[in-house]
Amino acid sequence: MRFILCFLALLTGAQASAEKLTLDRLHSDPSLSGPGVRSLKVSPDGARVTFLRGREDNQFQLDLWEFNLKDKSTHRLVDSKILVPDENLSAAEKARRERERTASLKGILSYSWSPDGKQLLVPIAGNLYLIDASKPDAARMVASGNVLDPKISPKGRYVSFVRDQNLYVIDLSTGKEKQLTTDGKDTVHNGEAEFVAQEEMGQTSGYYWAPDDSAIAYKRYDEAPVPVARRFEIFADRTDVVEQRYPAAGDPNALVSLHIVSPVTGEIRNVDLGSNPDIYLVRADWSGNAKSLLFQRQSRDQKKLELIAVDAATLAQRVLITETSPTWVSIFDDLRFLSGDRFIWSSERTGRKHLYLYDMSGKLQHAISSGEWGIDRVLAVDEKSGRVFVQSNRDAVVDSQTYALKLDGSTASKPARITQGDGWHDAAFARNGEVFVDTYSNPDLPPQVSIRRPDGSMVSWLERNELNASHPYGKYLDAHLKTEYGTLKSKDGQTLYYSMIKPSGFSVMKKYPVYLSTYGGPHSQHVARRWGNLFDQYMAQQGFIVWRLDNRGSSRRERAFTDANYHNLGKVEVEDQLTGIEWLGQQSYVDAKRIGVFGWSYGGFMTLRLLAQASDKIAMGVSVAPVTDWALYDTHYTEQFMGTPKENPQGYVTAGVYSHLDGLKSPLLLIHGMADDNVLFTNTTRMIDALVKRNVHFELMTYPGAKHGISGRGPQRHVYGYIEAFFKKNLKPETN
């Protein structure tokens, strides 16, 4: 026994003396996660894997790299600083990056391959470059003037882009530029996705090439009906008055239309979207033979989604599939066209997301997947082998794995698992399905990138990212703390997943404060078995138990779980978080009087609701960029869960923070960016006013010029330092 006690003491002493993370190191270079890669693509000829990587001296400045599959060499293909030494972004590009959550990045943020795998199209700082993959130093600028959303056409004859709200093409055989639309100005936009489509529907583009280069389908929208939200963007040295057309819940949306234009003649034809203009055009795609344009039309209440085929020659239409739901129909990106006039469609009609095979008449052939599990997304289709590759959490809700299913439906309930390591896998497949790039991590392993065959066998490492002494995280490895996972039951008996990190030098004989991190909203999973938020690790090393729980309404679950918050946001989410807090309070090592909560965006809303309803159980909270009244948030997101304020007036009152605010007694830190165009700063100014009227004291931190993410190294270092200080001041953890 004495030996065991001495051994444990040595282990505890070793951990206590290990070098711990610091906030300064978390926000400096090189990245503690190692040389991460993003935007992985296999070239069309299968010869290269290209990716974006941050620089050693600035992880937020991205360059384009390649891995040569033949000689297994890795080198930088395009240096962004040589291409454009100093970036000056347009207001439209800044807004687009905010929508795509890339506002903190610079350099090359996207790129695309030509169909023959010989050239790359690279946009940077509003200019557009065509680069020969064999001679990358000879980059050729093909367009300038704040171009948006550039693409190489499927056959490689054209380059297309949006400039000044109009659609353009360049014929690469002649170098001649042609403007295809002319009415884009003021409130009218061509070839772009409107605000709510970018923010809430995952639309990163507003135009779509036919696979034979014969035509482009494009969205046109007019924001004139959308009310103008007049707001201030307060910077350190000025205040801008911004008149933003922001469609809050119940307001008119932008008017959308769909058109087909010929890149040769410029002829524009109009596609009929139906007699009701108050709809969402959520997707558009071309069939593989270019004979049909298919678009997805969603009703304003989002309870109906139709897949409609348009004959490209005659514009005659037919409805192929109609999906309905008593709550809402989700939007997916899994439509894939196969030979023989067939296509793959995904649906949650059984309560879980599965794949189905249809013919072009809209007749269901059979289910491709089935069972008490669901598909995350389609990764690739290999018709030659008769397989579709998917991402799913079939084997563990907190994991992501790659699986193969037979297109004939014979393996619908028993997909073959391709990736094997428990944890989180993201895959990018070659067009021919012969190889894929696997990015894998778990809570103890930063992302490793390998190239693999469809059976999962190794071809080569692209980025081994070994966690050893020379790794940026190596010196902190001895202090690294394990993440534990478990489950609880909600009040209605559903399974809730949680994660917990116990603090440095943990002893069951002590009682520790809790840093509870929450998001809680739809479309997000907060508890996942992957390389995680290093601020969580830092807070555990500072003496906190770090806790996360995915409440009902969170994503990657069955519809019974996600639908639970319908028409009453905040109710079941708060119930489930309190279930977790009650469980924590029953643990001998938790000080139930020192539990604090932190959340950003929907998590900020959750923090306020939790404090307002359970200040007797929660000692303090930090709320960043919170929604305080759902009537202030945008149409598509809010109405999906709440309906309109006119339809559900009491639901809006109950879901908002203000009707519960008399219960807020615990210390509060409120944080918001003063130029937030997503969750408008009005949410926080109204909260300030409501707290002052109730004589509730609180702390406030606002960031001049900051958008929703308060991005940038300096602001990020500051905001997380403020969060840490507020937790320490109110919960006073012991540090080792």
Side-chain angles (χ1 to χ4, degrees), residues 399-418:
D399 284 4
S400 168
Q401 302 286 348
T402 300
Y403 300 84
L405 286 154
K406 290 290 186 66
L407 288 170
D408 63 11
S410 60
T411 60
S413 62
K414 47 182 185 300
R417 181 166 153 179
I418 304 301

Side-chain angles (χ1 to χ4, degrees), residues 142-387:
V142 294
S144 61
N146 295 317
V147 302
L148 299 174
D149 194 17
K151 301 177 185 179
I152 298 180
S153 64
K155 293 296 183 182
R157 179 177 174 181
Y158 301 97
V159 164
S160 55
F161 56 87
V162 174
R163 182 200 289 137
D164 298 330
Q165 300 172 208
N166 283 298
L167 184 60
Y168 291 77
V169 293
I170 298 172
D171 189 325
L172 293 178
S173 64
T174 64
K176 186 177 179 180
E177 180 180 293
K178 178 185 290 187
Q179 184 173 342
L180 296 180
T181 65
T182 58
D183 62 339
K185 62 180 178 180
D186 301 325
T187 60
V188 174
H189 296 249
N190 291 292
E192 298 179 63
E194 71 273 28
F195 172 84
V196 292
Q198 291 184 45
E199 185 66 41
E200 311 299 358
M201 304 178 213
Q203 278 190 38
T204 59
S205 182
Y207 72 94
Y208 317 91
W209 274 100
D212 61 358
D213 284 9
S214 62
I216 302 173
Y218 70 93
K219 176 186 281 192
R220 178 189 185 273
Y221 72 87
D222 185 351
E223 291 183 295
V226 180
V228 175
R230 191 169 183 266
R231 60 183 178 82
F232 297 96
E233 291 196 348
I234 303 172
F235 295 81
D237 56 353
R238 71 183 194 278
T239 297
D240 293 343
V241 180
V242 177
E243 293 189 344
Q244 178 185 356
R245 292 190 180 272
Y246 187 98
D251 284 343
N253 278 312
L255 292 170
V256 299
S257 55
L258 183 61
H259 310 270
I260 299 174
V261 61
S262 166
V264 177
T265 66
E267 178 192 6
I268 295 175
R269 296 179 296 153
N270 304 328
V271 176
D272 183 9
L273 293 183
S275 59
N276 183 2
D278 195 14
I279 53 93
Y280 293 110
L281 175 61
V282 299
R283 295 289 184 270
D285 303 89
W286 289 88
S287 63
N289 58 15
K291 291 182 179 180
S292 298
L293 170 67
L294 293 94
F295 67 90
Q296 296 179 43
R297 180 175 63 200
Q298 187 180 49
S299 59
R300 174 69 184 255
D301 66 8
Q302 302 179 55
K303 295 181 179 182
K304 182 179 180 180
L305 178 72
E306 297 167 289
L307 177 66
I308 300 169
V310 181
D311 187 289
T314 67
L315 299 186
Q317 297 188 14
R318 63 185 186 281
V319 177
L320 301 184
I321 299 173
T322 300
E323 298 279 354
T324 60
S325 170
T327 54
W328 68 85
V329 179
S330 300
I331 303 167
F332 301 123
D333 291 309
D334 302 311
L335 181 61
R336 298 290 189 277
F337 295 99
L338 311 179
S339 60
D341 284 338
R342 302 173 302 161
F343 63 90
I344 295 172
W345 177 255
S346 59
S347 169
E348 292 177 314
R349 63 187 62 156
T350 65
R352 297 177 186 262
K353 182 182 173 185
H354 283 297
L355 302 182
Y356 301 88
L357 187 67
Y358 279 83
D359 66 24
M360 285 298 291
S361 71
K363 182 180 179 182
L364 174 64
Q365 304 296 297
H366 54 259
I368 298 173
S369 65
S370 64
E372 298 301 304
W373 55 284
I375 302 291
D376 290 332
R377 62 190 180 107
V378 171
L379 298 169
V381 178
D382 182 2
E383 285 198 77
K384 186 177 180 181
S385 66
R387 293 184 297 175

Side-chain angles (χ1 to χ4, degrees), residues 121 260 386 416 437 548 733:
L121 188 66
I260 299 174
V437 183
R548 293 183 175 213

